[in-house]
DNA sequence: GAATAAAAACCGTCCAGTCGGTTTTTATGT
DNA sequence: ACATAAAAACCGACTGGACGGTTTTTATTC
């Protein structure tokens, strides 16, 4: 097999193994040895592809970011471009997706990142951009940011097992956050 | 000195030391040895008061809960009891306080608790109760929960260094969340 | 045959928790 | 009141396992 392909395969295997470990055993159990064991790669092979654990976590994070970025793009593409506040809706939909995926897949990563807080700045930088988009298109920017913050709150709460709502209740709340007409009326009335 | 006092002093010293370590060095550096060193207690003495690290974290968590519970009670006491949605306002005010206190005091604890996720259920159980209160008094319960979720989102984002807003912007958002009149009008219009 | 990838054994550090012992407080008997 | 025994608090060296990372060796690709 070609070297580039070989490397890529190994890296992907490592990432998938890491996701499995986090989902099954929690972020605290995500060790290099565990990844090696889970993926079938030897520790040496793993360390060859990722020089440090931080590098593994970074790859993991980028993998997830890519996943949700794609989701968000797809949503935007499938939506009427004249829809008001499309970026906001896309972000809220993406957050909703993040919270409802299989079983603590993507987000437990965030928990894993408690070990490497620096990596979270990657997410923040992306969010800054998203927020700028949302602001630019919003009739009432503050309200838009609050809707975004509420969605974020629901996601982060759920990720850390802090969410006091049931799954159905959370779903209803997301639905309401997405009810553009209602908020639009509010924004206009409040101008 | 009396035994009970002696124990209590030691336990408090440990908790204060733990807070100092988290604020200064981050949750990753919170070890039993570090707490012993910082507090002047010996390792043995520390272990006598807390049989496991989890016990330390639990005490730390309860200490912080008590702190914010008091803040919330004080707010409720100082407010006109006829004010609509007083519990919601109290919770949002408390969350605002949590995010603006000295320097990552209380919440970095949440980060520390990434090690012991079970402890977070204590917070969740309290939140469930708070949410029940908020719901009971709300003209529009869903809207009330969304306001709560937004405040939570701002706090958790900040705690984990994920917040894409500046401090002033965050402050404005909190102020708006607390503008009861505006939301009340919205709730009524939306009924 | 040079370079890259993978395997396997190994190393040093960190850290929660243990253990044997000392000091201080509290209970008891006289 | 005083002596003495028991209990509680405290001390700090030590242990054992986990874990991130390194080194050495072997296999595969170019």
């Amino acid at each position: 097999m070609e070297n580039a392909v070989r490397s890529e395969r190994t890296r992907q295997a490592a990432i998938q193994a890491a996701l499995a470990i986090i989902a099954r055993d929690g972020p605290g159990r995500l060790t290099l040895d565990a990844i090696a064991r889970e993926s079938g790669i030897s520790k040496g092979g793993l360390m060859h592809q990722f020089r440090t654990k931080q590098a593994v976590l970074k790859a993991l994070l980028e993998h997830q970011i890519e996943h949700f970025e794609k989701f968000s793009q797809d949503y935007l593409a499938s939506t009427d471009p004249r829809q008001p506040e499309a970026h906001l809706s896309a972000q809220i939909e993406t957050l909703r997706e993040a919270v409802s995926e299989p079983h603590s897949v993507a987000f437990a990563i965030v928990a894993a990142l408690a070990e490497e807080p620096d990596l979270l700045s990657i997410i923040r930088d992306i969010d800054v951009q998203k927020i700028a988009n949302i602001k630019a298109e919003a009739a009432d920017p503050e309200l838009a940011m609050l809707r975004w913050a509420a969605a974020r709150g629901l996601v982060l709460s759920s990720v850390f097992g802090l969410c006091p709502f049931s799954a159905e209740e959370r779903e209803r709340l997301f639905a309401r956050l997405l009810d553009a007409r209602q908020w639009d009326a509010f924004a206009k009335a409040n101008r």
Side-chain angles (χ1 to χ4, degrees), chain A residues 1-185:
Chain A
M1 200 190 308
E2 199 180 317
N3 265 343
V5 180
R6 218 152 66 114
S7 288
E8 188 55 26
R9 252 170 58 119
T10 301
R11 296 174 68 89
Q12 283 304 318
I15 289 173
Q16 289 308 318
L19 286 170
I21 292 164
I22 290 175
R24 193 183 59 233
D25 307 329
R29 291 254 140 78
L30 185 67
T31 68
L32 293 173
D33 290 281
I35 294 172
R37 213 178 315 126
E38 177 90 16
S39 63
I41 308 164
S42 71
K43 184 145 180 205
L46 181 63
M47 294 310 283
H48 180 72
Q49 293 298 334
F50 304 97
R51 293 225 297 287
T52 67
K53 186 180 184 184
Q54 157 140 354
V56 177
L57 292 174
K58 187 166 178 220
L60 201 55
L61 181 61
E62 280 163 354
H63 178 267
Q64 292 299 119
I65 286 176
E66 203 176 327
H67 173 76
F68 287 111
E69 185 58 30
K70 182 170 184 316
F71 184 93
S72 159
Q73 294 296 338
D74 287 354
Y75 178 87
L76 275 176
S78 77
T79 211
D80 183 344
R82 287 162 313 180
Q83 178 192 334
E85 312 204 312
H87 282 91
L88 176 58
S89 297
Q91 284 314 296
I92 296 177
E93 280 285 10
T94 305
L95 287 167
R96 167 154 82 167
E97 171 71 8
V99 89
S100 67
E101 252 179 28
H103 188 50
S104 62
V105 180
F107 23 96
I109 286 173
V110 179
L113 295 176
E115 296 174 28
E116 295 287 349
D118 292 353
L119 288 178
L120 294 178
S121 67
I122 298 176
I123 298 183
R124 201 191 50 230
D125 292 347
I126 292 177
D127 284 343
V128 166
Q129 190 53 55
K130 303 278 183 205
I131 290 287
N133 291 341
I134 292 172
K135 254 175 162 164
E137 73 184 1
D140 181 343
E142 266 185 12
L143 180 62
M145 291 190 284
L146 286 176
R147 285 168 67 196
W148 181 89
R152 245 275 146 79
L154 290 173
V155 171
L156 290 179
S157 292
S158 296
V159 166
F160 292 105
L162 279 174
C163 188
F165 305 122
S166 69
E168 302 83 55
E169 210 164 10
R170 201 178 54 212
E171 205 41 46
R172 274 205 307 274
L173 292 175
F174 266 110
R176 178 120 180 222
L177 278 177
L178 284 163
D179 181 0
R181 215 168 329 114
Q182 167 197 172
W183 299 107
D184 199 42

